């Protein structure tokens, strides 16, 4: 009877562990194959629309190259990233065309993204970039063009 109980507990533990592992893999994979558009940024006392009057920042994660591409609300944005589980950090942004940007959102975006330490995908499918344990930026999925 003891061996039977141990066998059942072992099988249940294995099933639960494998289910949890597949959820983690799915969560990591879900940042790829889409373009994310910023809809919230923490910090500035200026309205979001005032920060980004012409276009909102967008990011696309390239899993193979380990780079993120897009724009910072004005100029192009490209940077390496490091992803380990839910831990996420961004490296130094690459060179970009320097257009004059209205609203001051570009500086806020660059300052904030450099501080990111992790990410999460919430129940609504939104990407939250987190500093410590505080969500600092929130992105929504946008249709691919």
């Amino acid at each position: 009877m003891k061996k039977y109980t141990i066998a059942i507990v072992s099988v249940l533990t294995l099933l639960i562990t494998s289910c949890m592992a597949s959820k983690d893999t799915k969560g990591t994979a879900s940042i790829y194959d889409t373009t994310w558009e910023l809809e919230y940024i923490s910090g500035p006392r200026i309205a979001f629309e005032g920060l980004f009057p012409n276009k909102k920042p967008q990011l696309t994660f390239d899993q193979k190259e380990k780079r993120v591409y897009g724009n910072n609300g004005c100029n192009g944005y490209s940077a390496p990233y490091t992803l380990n589980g839910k831990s996420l950090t961004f490296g130094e942004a690459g060179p970009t065309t320097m257009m004059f940007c209205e609203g001051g959102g570009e500086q806020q975006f660059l300052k904030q993204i450099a501080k990111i330490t992790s990410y999460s995908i919430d129940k609504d499918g939104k990407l939250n970039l987190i500093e410590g344990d505080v969500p600092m930026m929130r992105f929504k999925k946008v249709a691919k063009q």
Side-chain angles (χ1 to χ4, degrees), residues 70-81:
N71 72 74
N72 57 28
C74 181
N75 291 297
Y77 177 78
S78 170
Y81 68 87

Side-chain angles (χ1 to χ4, degrees), residues 117-129:
T117 57
S118 64
Y119 82 98
S120 69
I121 306 282
D122 66 21
K123 64 180 177 13
D124 298 323
K126 299 196 177 186
L127 171 66
N128 292 288
L129 298 184

Side-chain angles (χ1 to χ4, degrees), residues 52-125:
F52 305 104
N54 300 317
K55 67 179 176 180
K56 297 174 186 166
Q58 292 187 343
L59 299 176
T60 302
F61 289 85
D62 185 324
Q63 187 173 12
K64 184 178 174 186
E65 298 291 323
K66 299 288 187 212
R67 291 192 70 80
V68 63
Y69 299 96
N71 72 74
N72 57 28
C74 181
N75 291 297
Y77 177 78
S78 170
Y81 68 87
T82 303
L83 180 64
N84 186 4
K86 294 291 182 183
S87 173
L88 174 65
T89 56
F90 294 90
E92 189 69 34
T96 182
T97 307
M98 294 303 291
M99 295 182 353
F100 172 74
C101 307
E102 291 182 45
E106 179 183 39
Q107 268 59 42
Q108 188 65 36
F109 176 86
L110 294 172
K111 186 171 99 177
Q112 205 64 269
I113 204 161
K115 297 177 183 178
I116 297 304
T117 57
S118 64
Y119 82 98
S120 69
I121 306 282
D122 66 21
K123 64 180 177 13
D124 298 323

Side-chain angles (χ1 to χ4, degrees), residues 39-57:
E39 66 176 18
Y40 168 80
I41 188 165
S42 178
R45 296 179 190 265
I46 301 170
F48 185 79
E49 288 74 23
L51 285 171
F52 305 104
N54 300 317
K55 67 179 176 180
K56 297 174 186 166

